[in-house]
Amino acid sequence: MSMATTSFTKKSLGLETAEPAVTPPPASNHTTFAKKPKLGTSKSKKREIPEGLWTKCPHCSTMVFDKELEENLKVCTHCHYHFPISARERIQALVESNSFEPMDTEMSSVDVLQFTGAASYISKLAKYQQSTGLKDAVVTGIGKLGEQQTALGVMDFSFLGGSMGSVVGEKLTRLIEAATAKRLPIILISTSGGARMYEGMFSLMQMAKTCGALAYHGQARLPFISLLTDPTMAGVMASFATVGDLILAEPGAMIGFAGPRVIKDTTQAELPPGFQTAEFLLDRGLIDAIVPRKEMKARLIDYLNYLTAGQNQPVLA
Ligand SMILES: [Zn+2]
């Protein structure tokens, strides 16, 4: 269950910005140094290239102009591959401008187990807090989608593989409890390697805690939409992410519990093609709909309106 979250680094997903095969004509005037031809050595050190010009699509290998990619909500303009997107970018793409009020922004993990592997947990936390500007792997708060006030929890894979430790669990639980008290619908957007191994059992407890809070939210007859994005695995998949009234996924998202290699080794069976993709799980009824990122906001608003119809009237005692 505690996946080796650190193996899901940005690099292993093949998403580092690569140099374009052809130099874009007028983009820069830095022609002082002639470019050396590419050598086939895989060991060549990472090149110093200007940030934010082109990104190679890991799916179709097209070089996509970064500006175009941003405008397209980080979906490949050629093959519609959905690139990873930060929690902040996702929130910005969904809520009405200036409507989002974040909660518990300063909550940060304590190293209860004094965990030390290749590096100490404390140093890992510091590193990811620095690189992401986040205190932990989820951003929570209340914002407006269309006319609907909504409790929104969005995970960020770039913080320790989106792993769920006590902070992710606690922030989500507080969000869910606030939504129940204020009678708001909840949307949780997951991307995670699973429970955070650095916090051991404390991470596993978050599975029950978040689901418990969601059960009370459900008893109050309030809707919860779960959106699974690439990848949603292990302890997150086995807890709050799969108890939505509606479970949505982005196209091509990898969704599952244990990784395919572990399952293959354990069962000694050939896995069917497309195993653990959103499309495979849609076919088998685990998820309700696959929604492209560009349509996400409009579809979520439709679903919210449908699920909350009649709920915004004053409750008669
Ligand atoms: Zn592509």
Side-chain angles (χ1 to χ4, degrees), residues 57-62 64 76-81 83:
C57 172
H59 190 249
C60 71
S61 299
T62 304
V64 193
C76 175
T77 47
H78 188 70
C79 72
H80 306 295
Y81 168 78
F83 284 78

Side-chain angles (χ1 to χ4, degrees), residues 290-303:
I290 294 175
V291 181
R293 195 176 287 164
K294 295 265 287 182
E295 294 170 28
M296 193 62 76
K297 179 174 178 174
R299 290 277 288 273
L300 284 173
I301 291 173
D302 278 353
Y303 292 137

